[in-house]
């Protein structure tokens, strides 16, 4: 760490209040008093759960049974693909004609659910129609099951008794009302940050700023016939890269702190994407871009390839060790215990990807061809193709005990419960065999919806191969910046072409569907389609930021530029200090999205402010 950081006191004044607009989804069917009817036939079901005090993302459902037979209620989330219905409870038979028996249940509100009703009498063994509904948080609902004139036919109706304002809409309205009171503060802060940014940029151009996950003296050079060491020439630092990195990091910090406990700020349970699934691959991508620029600059500064490789090895070792420490926080309680030490992690994956991609970049001799960014580095591309072939073979051909070949599912109750112990297929099997069950992530996101019980690590061994591909695609973006320096139209055109190609590959792999493709988009597995899709998005976003920040200079990159310049410090700091004030405090209502959102936004803003103050003092942490 810089000596200035150790010797200079940093006084932090928290004066940022950031408000967020969360677009409210359309109101689900069933406003107050509205009844949904369906003609049902009676049949049979299982057990019971009485609702207590409602928590976040929960609603109360009262099932009223006027049948003369016990009724079983099961449920299934819309988000659970090919899943087995789960028992919700049993509702006893009504005590007499027209007299219902009632049981209260607690149901989830994050996604729509389908209720399945069955009667216990064989006389009415036909399955009752399934009732689909999307409940609202803290709402109260009643499901009535009544006899019609035909004793074998019943009427099912869903009634909204009381319904609160949609939690997403409530935060939207609250933030709208707060706009007027915070307008002057926001305007003043924006002016202050812009002025400080201009001063800091002028100062930084006269100094050699180091960059985490990069080498010193990083600049963007003019393309030449060979990428060989040569005289170093000063050049303007690309702010768009630091802005892109900072944007990814800020969103990462926000979702790691909880994201207001909204489901779309949490990782997807299995296939698909949420906001939380975007940022880590983007960070890996921009790391690859930085490698390309920093290696080229270091070679031009006269450093040898061997010295750069040894520095890369040492830097990767440091990243890996730091990652081990911050994901195993019992270091505050004594020595780390090997029995439960988690080995994979975010920084560990960054370290591996960084080392492999730097090695590929350093080992490539420069030849010049017309298709520069591809043919110039064909040996490196060949290595990446070999790695992807290894991933494909292991994923689809490796025999996994009690699992079908090429299984990519979540296990648990998915796939109609046929493979409960197959979470992640070959990826999970390799991690459990190579690292041991106690040394990988114990609570994967698939547990929530798919009820999987096996440990599974989203930063596991096989996924690391595809993270190398992600970083390598970022490396190619850096090569484009090098070869077409100051040719803005050519740079953006190349980015868009690469984005289109990767998008087409994603469409083919997924068949443009969530679950039916050859290789679905899956963050837990870091599937090939996940990498191509996120690289496609990354290139589109980079074009936008590059155009607005470096070409037109309409935007300075603030406030994301500052954490992008101190990314290691911000990431490690937010992990280590997560449980301490001002990043967390005791809330008056821990079941409120609004309070969680406020806490998480302020905690994230604190790190933006810290990085801004460190930037003003020219303090950067490098490893």
């Amino acid at each position: 760490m810089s000596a200035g950081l150790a010797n200079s006191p940093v006084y932090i004044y928290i004066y940022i209040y950031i408000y967020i607009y969360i677009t409210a989804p359309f109101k689900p069917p069933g406003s107050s008093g509205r009844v949904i009817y369906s003609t049902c036939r009676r049949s049979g079901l299982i057990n019971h759960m009485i609702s207590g005090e409602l928590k976040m993302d929960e609603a109360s459902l009262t099932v009223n049974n006027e049948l003369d037979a016990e009724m079983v209620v099961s449920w299934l989330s819309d988000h659970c693909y090919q899943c087995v219905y789960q028992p919700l409870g049993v509702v006893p038979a009504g005590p007499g004609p027209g007299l219902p028996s009632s049981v209260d249940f607690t149901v989830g509100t994050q996604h729509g659910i389908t209720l399945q009703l069955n009667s216990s009498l064989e006389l009415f063994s036909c399955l009752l129609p399934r009732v689909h509904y999307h409940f609202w948080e803290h709402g109260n609902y009643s499901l009535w099951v009544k006899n019609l004139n035909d004793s074998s036919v019943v009427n099912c109706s869903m009634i909204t008794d009381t319904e609160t304002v949609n939690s997403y809409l409530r935060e939207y309205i609250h933030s709208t009302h707060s706009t007027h009171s915070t307008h002057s503060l926001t305007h003043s802060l924006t002016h202050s940050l812009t002025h400080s940014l201009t001063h800091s940029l002028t100062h930084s151009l006269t100094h050699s700023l180091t960059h985490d996950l990069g080498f010193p003296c990083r600049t963007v050079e003019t393309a030449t016939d060979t990428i060989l060491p040569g005289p170093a020439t000063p050049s303007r630092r690309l702010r768009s890269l630091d802005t892109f990195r900072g944007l990814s990091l800020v969103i990462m910090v926000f979702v790691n702190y909880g994201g207001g406990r909204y489901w779309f700020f949490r990782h997807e349970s299995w296939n698909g994407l949420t906001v939380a699934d975007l940022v880590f691959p983007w960070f890996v991508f921009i790391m690859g871009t930085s490698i390309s620029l920093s290696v080229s600059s270091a070679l031009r500064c006269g450093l040898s390839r061997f010295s750069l490789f040894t520095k890369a090895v040492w830097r990767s070792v440091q990243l890996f060790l730091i990652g081990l420490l911050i994901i195993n926080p019992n270091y505050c309680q004594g020595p780390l215990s090997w029995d439960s030490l988690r080995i994979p992690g975010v920084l560990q994956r960054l370290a591996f990807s960084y080392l492999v991609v730097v090695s590929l970049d350093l080992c490539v001799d420069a030849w010049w061809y017309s298709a520069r960014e591809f043919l110039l580095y064909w040996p490196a591309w060949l290595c990446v193709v070999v790695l992807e072939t290894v991933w494909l073979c292991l994923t689809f051909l490796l025999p996994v005990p009690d699992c079908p070949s090429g299984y990519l599912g979540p296990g648990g109750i998915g796939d109609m419960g046929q493979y409960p112990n197959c979470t992640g297929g070959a990826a999970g099997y390799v991690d459990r065999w190579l690292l041991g069950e106690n040394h990988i992530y114990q609570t994967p996101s698939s547990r929530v919806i798919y009820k999987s019980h096996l440990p599974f690590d989203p930063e596991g061994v096989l996924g690391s191969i595809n993270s190398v591909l992600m970083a390598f695609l970022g490396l190619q973006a850096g090569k484009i910046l090098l070869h077409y320096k100051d040719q803005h139209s050519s740079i953006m055109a190349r980015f868009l072409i690469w984005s289109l190609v990767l998008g087409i590959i994603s469409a083919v792999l997924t068949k443009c569907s969530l679950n039916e493709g050859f290789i679905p988009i899956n963050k837990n597995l870091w599937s090939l389609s996940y990498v191509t899709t996120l690289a496609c998005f990354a290139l589109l976003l980079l074009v936008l930021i590059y155009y607005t920040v470096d070409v037109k200079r309409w935007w300075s990159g603030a406030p994301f530029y500052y954490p992008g310049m101190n990314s290691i410090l911000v990431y490690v700091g937010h992990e280590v200090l997560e449980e301490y004030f001002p990043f967390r405090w005791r809330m008056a209502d821990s079941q409120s999205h609004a309070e969680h959102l406020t806490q998480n936004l302020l905690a994230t803003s604190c790190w933006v402010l810290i990085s801004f103050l460190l930037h003003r003092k020219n303090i950067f942490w490098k490893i």
Side-chain angles (χ1 to χ4, degrees):
M1 186 181 296
S2 171
L5 182 60
N7 300 326
S8 302
V10 179
Y11 300 98
I12 303 173
Y13 299 93
I14 303 176
Y15 60 94
I16 296 180
Y17 175 55
I18 299 178
Y19 59 90
I20 185 170
Y21 288 93
I22 300 180
T23 304
F26 289 106
K27 187 175 181 179
S31 58
S32 181
R34 180 177 178 181
V35 180
I36 295 179
Y37 295 100
S38 62
T39 301
C40 313
R41 292 195 174 272
R42 298 194 280 186
S43 186
L45 177 40
I46 0 191
N47 79 62
H48 160 137
M49 179 191 301
I50 298 180
S51 65
E53 183 179 350
L54 292 177
K55 299 179 180 179
M56 189 182 298
D57 297 323
E58 290 182 347
S60 175
L61 172 65
T62 301
V63 180
N64 303 282
N65 180 20
E66 290 189 5
L67 306 182
D68 56 358
E70 187 179 76
M71 188 174 64
V72 182
V73 184
S74 301
W75 71 281
L76 180 64
S77 170
D78 289 353
H79 233 52
C80 200
Y81 178 65
Q82 291 185 343
C83 290
V84 179
Y85 275 85
Q86 297 299 292
L88 185 62
V90 177
V91 184
L99 298 176
S101 63
S102 301
V103 177
D104 294 333
F105 301 103
T106 299
V107 292
T109 61
Q110 289 186 348
H111 310 288
I113 66 174
T114 300
L115 297 173
Q116 179 175 283
L117 310 176
N118 294 78
S119 172
S120 59
L121 290 182
E122 292 187 13
L123 176 64
F124 309 112
S125 58
C126 294
L127 186 69
L128 289 99
R130 296 164 181 172
V131 179
H132 181 268
Y133 203 80
H134 195 156
F135 298 94
W136 282 23
E137 186 179 50
H138 296 170
N140 292 293
Y141 303 86
S142 295
L143 176 62
W144 288 83
V145 184
K146 303 179 181 180
N147 273 347
L148 295 180
N149 294 332
D150 183 352
S151 61
S152 65
V153 178
V154 298
N155 174 267
C156 302
S157 58
M158 182 75 75
I159 300 177
T160 303
D161 298 325
T162 60
E163 186 172 61
T164 60
V165 177
N166 185 293
S167 60
Y168 310 128
L169 179 62
R170 180 169 60 244
E171 264 55 86
Y172 175 83
I173 295 174
H174 178 268
S175 64
T176 302
H177 288 316
S178 68
T179 301
H180 300 289
S181 62
T182 60
H183 180 269
S184 58
L185 175 60
T186 305
H187 180 269
S188 174
L189 176 61
T190 303
H191 175 75
S192 173
L193 291 180
T194 303
H195 175 75
S196 300
L197 173 63
T198 304
H199 173 76
S200 299
L201 178 61
T202 303
H203 178 69
S204 65
L205 288 177
T206 62
H207 293 80
S208 175
L209 290 180
T210 57
H211 185 279
D212 27 51
L213 297 183
F215 292 103
C217 193
R218 191 193 73 173
T219 56
V220 178
E221 308 88 344
T222 306
T224 59
D225 287 345
T226 58
I227 300 182
L228 296 173
T233 56
S235 182
R236 183 175 63 86
R237 182 184 180 100
L238 288 175
R239 296 178 68 89
S240 56
L241 302 186
D242 295 309
T243 302
F244 185 103
R245 183 185 302 104
L247 173 63
S248 303
L249 182 60
V250 167
I251 300 175
M252 188 186 298
V253 171
F254 176 65
V255 298
N256 284 351
Y257 276 157
R261 298 297 189 269
Y262 291 105
W263 68 267
F264 44 81
F265 286 135
R266 295 178 178 176
H267 291 297
E268 185 58 82
S269 55
W270 201 246
N271 294 334
L273 290 175
T274 64
V275 175
D277 298 322
L278 304 177
V279 288
F280 184 29
W282 286 354
F283 196 87
V284 175
F285 178 90
I286 206 65
M287 179 185 72
T289 307
S290 300
I291 289 171
S292 178
L293 303 180
S294 58
V295 167
S296 179
S297 177
L299 291 174
R300 293 186 179 280
C301 288
L303 296 177
S304 68
R305 293 177 184 266
F306 180 76
S307 65
L308 292 179
F309 177 74
T310 56
K311 289 181 180 180
V313 171
W314 175 232
R315 184 169 290 132
S316 298
V317 170
Q318 292 180 82
L319 272 178
F320 193 93
L321 293 177
I322 293 172
L324 281 181
L325 288 176
I326 65 175
I327 65 170
N328 295 282
N330 58 336
Y331 50 76
C332 295
Q333 304 168 5
L336 289 175
S337 172
W338 173 252
D339 293 339
S340 59
L341 183 75
R342 181 188 172 194
I343 297 176
V346 170
L347 290 184
Q348 294 91 312
R349 174 163 288 184
L350 283 175
F352 175 76
S353 304
Y354 173 77
L355 180 59
V356 173
V357 173
V358 167
S359 301
L360 289 175
D361 197 27
L362 289 173
C363 293
V364 172
D365 292 325
W367 295 291
W368 190 253
Y369 294 92
S370 56
R372 301 170 183 177
E373 68 272 16
F374 183 85
L375 294 178
L376 179 62
Y377 303 100
W378 70 265
W381 274 102
L382 183 60
C383 293
V384 171
V385 169
V386 170
L387 285 175
E388 283 306 307
T389 303
V390 170
W391 181 85
L392 289 170
C393 291
L394 289 175
T395 299
F396 291 99
L397 301 179
L398 181 69
V400 179
D402 302 321
C403 302
S405 297
Y407 183 73
L408 300 175
I413 63 173
D415 300 291
M416 305 311 295
Q418 298 179 77
Y419 315 112
N421 298 321
C422 294
T423 302
Y429 177 70
V430 168
D431 287 342
R432 292 189 293 272
W433 174 76
L434 191 62
L435 304 176
E437 287 194 6
N438 293 333
H439 301 297
I440 59 178
Y441 194 47
Q442 300 297 306
T443 56
S445 58
S446 58
R447 282 195 168 202
V448 178
I449 290 182
Y450 288 95
K451 313 297 181 186
S452 61
H453 60 274
L454 286 179
F456 181 85
D457 208 307
E459 277 78 53
V461 176
L462 284 189
S464 298
I465 296 177
N466 283 339
S467 71
V468 169
L469 174 61
M470 190 73 184
F472 189 75
L473 292 172
L475 183 81
Q476 299 310 304
K479 300 303 181 185
I480 293 174
L481 291 170
L482 287 172
H483 295 320
Y484 297 94
K485 183 197 170 187
D486 294 332
Q487 301 177 40
H488 303 310
S489 297
S490 297
I491 289 173
M492 292 186 292
R494 292 274 173 161
F495 284 172
L496 291 175
I497 291 172
W498 273 99
S499 178
L500 177 62
V501 170
L502 291 168
I504 292 174
I505 294 173
S506 297
V508 172
L509 292 175
T510 62
K511 298 183 181 179
C512 297
S513 68
L514 181 62
N515 297 295
E516 302 296 337
F518 301 110
I519 303 178
I521 296 173
N522 190 294
K523 189 267 177 188
N524 284 287
L525 298 173
W526 268 68
S527 63
L528 181 58
S529 60
Y530 175 70
V531 170
T532 55
T533 301
L534 269 295
C536 169
F537 293 166
L539 285 163
L540 290 175
L541 181 59
L542 185 56
V543 166
L544 178 62
I545 296 177
Y546 176 76
Y547 183 73
T548 56
V549 174
D550 285 319
V551 179
K552 292 297 184 180
R553 303 192 184 181
W554 290 335
W555 177 33
S556 66
F560 305 114
Y561 173 75
Y562 307 114
M565 292 285 290
N566 238 329
S567 56
I568 293 298
L569 185 144
V570 172
Y571 182 82
V572 173
H574 102 276
E575 287 279 2
V576 173
L577 302 177
E578 178 182 1
E579 300 297 331
Y580 298 92
F581 183 83
F583 309 106
R584 184 153 299 175
W585 60 84
R586 185 183 298 276
M587 291 180 286
D589 182 6
S590 63
Q591 299 303 315
S592 166
H593 280 291
E595 289 203 40
H596 280 282
L597 182 63
T598 301
Q599 184 183 84
N600 302 151
L601 280 173
L602 287 176
T604 305
S605 301
C606 284
W607 285 111
V608 175
L609 180 59
I610 290 170
S611 62
F612 168 69
L613 295 175
L614 293 176
H615 182 272
R616 291 193 63 180
K617 293 180 176 292
N618 203 27
I619 298 171
F620 304 98
W621 183 23
K622 64 171 184 175
I623 58 173

